[in-house]
Amino acid sequence: MKLHFSITAAEELRERRGGSYVLYSVCLEGFLLGKARYSQLRRWDAQLRQLFGSAVPAFPPKFYLAMTKSMADERRSQLEQYLQNVTLDPNITNSDVFIGFFRKLQQDTFKIQTQRACLDVYLPDGSNIRLDIQTSDTAERILEVTSCKMGLPRELMKYFSLFFFQDRDDGALSVVKKVADFELPYVSLQSMKELRCKLGIRKWYMDPSLDTLLMDCRASLDLLYMQAVQEVKRNWVKPTEGQMQELEFLQKSANKAKFLELIREMQFYGYVRLDPCVCDYPEEGCSVDIYVGKNEINCYIKLPAKQTKEVSFKIDRLRSWQVTFLGAAKDGEEDTLELRFEYNDSGTWQWIILYTKQAFLLSSCLKQMITEQMMKAAKEGQETVSMCEIKMPGSTKYSKKSSIQQKQVVHLGFVSRKRFLVRPNEEDCVFEKIREEDL
């Protein structure tokens, strides 16, 4: 499925020789990945096309006349769709040309040269593994080195991933985002300093039954156990009083396998808990605690009458979802994101909106659950005759994939309602004197 690429700003800059060019802010899951010119992206597209031919989506055409504001907005939108569509093919995203481009883009944008450095990767129990790395090492490479240090076999690495997270002052655990394989964790941490993020390793699957595949390896067993203990302490898992006593007994006796076997029966084990946010269901402005996992979005909704309502939105009744960047309500405030999904409630389709800064993380969880359902269905030989259609806003073209169930069609999208176009002279109505190579 598509990666969550967006272009949130287009900045016109002057060159020393009198011309000007446009610098696009390329974001991944809402965070700045790097800034690129049209000419850089066009040369990259040519390199991809040499290797992959028609598998590469159409690249936005050059303009041979001065760009008006509407033309500039159209180009930004086209480049955004191009970045989203080019990630559909894993052969492309795993290629040296793809990875090399974004490696250079990140390093150039944040002015970090390739050199040796130390990087801490945190385990769920709060301890860390200090790695000697190159600042240009990708997340895939960092995960390999971390796994080697822990004794985790290569064939089990696919069940784990790197995440940026925050340890909140109130004791809450907040997962900020999953780190993309081609992302440079060292550079990203430098660019996210204000958030005081840490880099950690966690399991990355939504079906708790997959735990059983990892129980025979000491390293993977230790990781699962540490994460389970952490999630109980951080109130992600909801054991009953009796279950809590059993867990404490097994923890004291260091019986990790039994601990994991017991916790799989408990409410919200294997779920990702989001930070408290706001939704429009059953009415606007309701506070909500969200747990996502086991093919559902489970919501504890606080109603205006100070009552709490638990609602479970099942994945097999969800037809589409879309992440929207709303911008900041006021200057100085954080940007607002929403995830809206189309849900079949008693035979009627309706849109449910969740206003959360973790909208991209929630979207990643939904994609992961769908992927796991598809893999499970394929393994069991179930028929999957419908298609999963991934639709990006403004596009009439669809990419056909296998579906989870008959009659389920999934549209996944990203929209930015608020864009930022920065110019030296706000009164200018067109981009003038833009060099030929940037048109």
Side-chain angles (χ1 to χ4, degrees), residues 11-24:
E11 184 179 6
E12 185 186 9
L13 300 175
R14 301 292 184 186
E15 291 191 297
R16 292 177 182 177
R17 289 174 289 181
S20 61
Y21 62 93
V22 179
L23 201 60
Y24 297 97

Side-chain angles (χ1 to χ4, degrees), residues 150-169:
M150 296 185 62
L152 184 68
R154 179 174 290 271
E155 62 270 18
L156 298 183
M157 278 175 48
K158 62 184 179 182
Y159 296 104
F160 297 90
S161 187
L162 296 176
F163 292 83
F164 293 125
F165 71 95
Q166 296 170 317
D167 277 322
R168 307 285 286 276
D169 294 337

Side-chain angles (χ1 to χ4, degrees), residues 26-41:
V26 178
C27 294
L28 181 63
E29 297 198 0
F31 292 91
L32 181 64
L33 190 67
K35 296 184 178 183
R37 297 167 65 157
Y38 174 83
S39 57
Q40 291 175 283
L41 293 166

Side-chain angles (χ1 to χ4, degrees), residues 79-233:
L79 287 172
E80 184 174 86
Q81 290 182 32
Y82 171 81
L83 289 172
Q84 293 164 351
N85 290 332
V86 81
T87 61
L88 280 171
D89 189 340
N91 293 318
I92 293 178
T93 55
N94 292 329
S95 69
D96 290 340
V97 171
F98 184 94
I99 295 169
F101 176 79
F102 283 107
R103 173 187 282 122
K104 187 175 188 306
L105 187 68
Q106 276 194 273
Q107 289 187 270
D108 288 351
T109 299
F110 298 104
K111 296 179 173 56
I112 296 179
Q113 297 179 344
T114 298
Q115 59 187 16
R116 296 187 67 84
C118 290
L119 182 67
D120 290 327
V121 178
Y122 285 84
L123 305 182
D125 67 352
S127 64
N128 68 281
I129 298 175
R130 176 154 290 189
L131 305 178
D132 293 321
I133 64 155
Q134 296 283 335
T135 54
S136 57
D137 284 340
T138 62
E140 183 178 35
R141 173 62 179 161
I142 299 298
L143 182 60
E144 287 176 354
V145 176
T146 304
S147 300
C148 182
K149 288 257 189 183
M150 296 185 62
L152 184 68
R154 179 174 290 271
E155 62 270 18
L156 298 183
M157 278 175 48
K158 62 184 179 182
Y159 296 104
F160 297 90
S161 187
L162 296 176
F163 292 83
F164 293 125
F165 71 95
Q166 296 170 317
D167 277 322
R168 307 285 286 276
D169 294 337
D170 59 3
L173 172 68
S174 177
V175 177
V176 176
K177 71 183 290 284
K178 178 182 176 294
V179 188
D181 287 345
F182 60 86
E183 200 171 342
L184 309 185
Y186 181 90
V187 178
S188 293
L189 280 172
Q190 301 305 309
S191 68
M192 300 165 66
K193 270 186 175 179
E194 292 183 0
L195 296 178
R196 295 185 298 167
C197 287
K198 296 179 180 179
L199 180 68
I201 183 172
R202 304 177 62 82
K203 68 180 182 183
W204 179 232
Y205 52 86
M206 308 301 293
D207 181 359
S209 68
L210 294 177
D211 280 4
T212 57
L213 303 177
L214 309 177
M215 301 294 282
D216 294 332
C217 168
R218 179 178 292 276
S220 56
L221 176 66
D222 286 345
L223 270 174
L224 293 181
Y225 175 75
M226 284 187 285
Q227 186 168 330
V229 170
Q230 179 197 50
E231 291 178 359
V232 171
K233 288 181 178 178

Side-chain angles (χ1 to χ4, degrees), residues 126 222 271 349:
D222 286 345
Y271 286 62
W349 291 101

